[in-house]
Amino acid sequence: MQKQAIFQSKLLPYALVAPQLAIVLIFFYWPAVQAVIQSFLLQDAFGLSTSFVWFENYLELFKEPAYFAAIARTFAFSFAIAVSSLSFALLLAVMADRPLRGSTLYRTLLIWPYAVAPPVVGVLWVFMLHPSLGVLSRYLRAMGVDWNPLLDGNQAAALIILAAAWKQISYNFLFFLAGLQSIPKSVIEAAAIDGARPMRRFWTVIFPLLSPTIFFLLVINIVYAFFDTFGIIDTMTRGGPGKATETLVYKVYTDGLLGGNLGSSAAQSVILMVIVIVLTGIQFRFVERKVTY
């Protein structure tokens, strides 16, 4: 028989969830409401004068070519970061799932990078690939590669993608490994008895059974690429060179805090939130259909 929890007081369940509800209300809903209100206002950098301008901040954004360039750049970054981090994490998880000596140590070491803060990740990769001080830059120059992400926008974008994907690989690896270990060994052994080779077993048996994990990580990685890469971009390139690495979340920061255009910055944050919500809804509406539970 299943045991049912019975609370002596009717207020106790509400008291238990109250701290979490308070955190969500204070740190998510309240700032979101403030951003929506601020997006309809025109305010100077010192907050001395404020006027209600309706949708003028949004209309000015849609007239700005640089904003559409930032949208396209953000989508490209998000796709590259999600695909690369998921692919390498799945490869590492498959290799770590094998019965190897010292596999526990390998798994622990592969999880460690997730504990590193995004700004620290940016500093680490700058030290490795700085055009004049980087350790790896010397080998690139020795191979004839003109490596200078401080001047080349494409190289700076590639550097951001590498650092952001490396940061997220360990998180994806943890879930992929858990998903692989939850697959019954009898199913894989039955496929082997039927004559399926390792690659065929992976694509026809293991990969479909990992689809719930892949779907979950796809949503998480898209949100990560849209928001959590701010610290990496700020410490590595600051949106440069020539705004080649300026994504939507970083443009909100530069226009609002550095440029003093608070109304436009708030409007950008609202649009960014809507884009992420729409992308998440599309994934649940169409991608989830192909998930095998």
Side-chain angles (χ1 to χ4, degrees), residues 194-265:
D194 290 339
R197 296 188 175 183
M199 286 298 297
R200 186 172 181 81
R201 291 200 300 268
F202 177 79
W203 290 112
T204 59
V205 178
I206 299 176
F207 192 79
L209 293 176
L210 282 176
S211 56
T213 304
I214 296 173
F215 173 71
F216 166 76
L217 290 177
L218 181 61
V219 175
I220 294 299
N221 278 258
I222 292 296
V223 176
Y224 162 78
F226 267 81
F227 291 103
D228 291 347
T229 53
F230 170 83
I232 296 175
I233 296 174
D234 189 50
T235 53
M236 295 182 70
T237 61
R238 295 188 179 275
K243 297 187 177 182
T245 58
E246 185 182 63
T247 59
L248 288 176
V249 66
Y250 199 78
K251 185 172 174 57
V252 171
Y253 166 74
T254 55
D255 290 356
L257 186 61
L258 302 182
N261 194 346
L262 302 180
S264 177
S265 176

Side-chain angles (χ1 to χ4, degrees), residues 111-122 124 166-167 170:
I111 296 172
W112 276 4
Y114 187 69
V116 182
V120 179
V121 173
L124 290 175
W166 178 82
K167 171 70 171 64
S170 56

Side-chain angles (χ1 to χ4, degrees), residues 75-123:
F75 275 92
F77 273 34
S78 301
F79 177 80
I81 292 171
V83 171
S84 57
S85 61
L86 288 173
S87 301
F88 280 103
L90 181 57
L91 176 63
L92 292 173
V94 171
M95 297 175 63
D97 190 44
R98 297 178 179 178
L100 300 175
R101 180 179 299 178
S103 59
T104 304
L105 177 62
Y106 301 148
R107 296 169 186 173
T108 304
L109 293 177
L110 288 171
I111 296 172
W112 276 4
Y114 187 69
V116 182
V120 179
V121 173
V123 173

Side-chain angles (χ1 to χ4, degrees), residues 36-45 47-57 261-264:
V36 173
I37 296 174
Q38 184 70 44
S39 66
F40 295 108
L41 302 177
L42 184 62
Q43 187 178 41
D44 62 3
L48 300 178
S49 62
T50 302
S51 58
F52 190 77
V53 295
W54 288 98
F55 295 96
E56 183 177 339
N57 290 321
N261 194 346
L262 302 180
S264 177

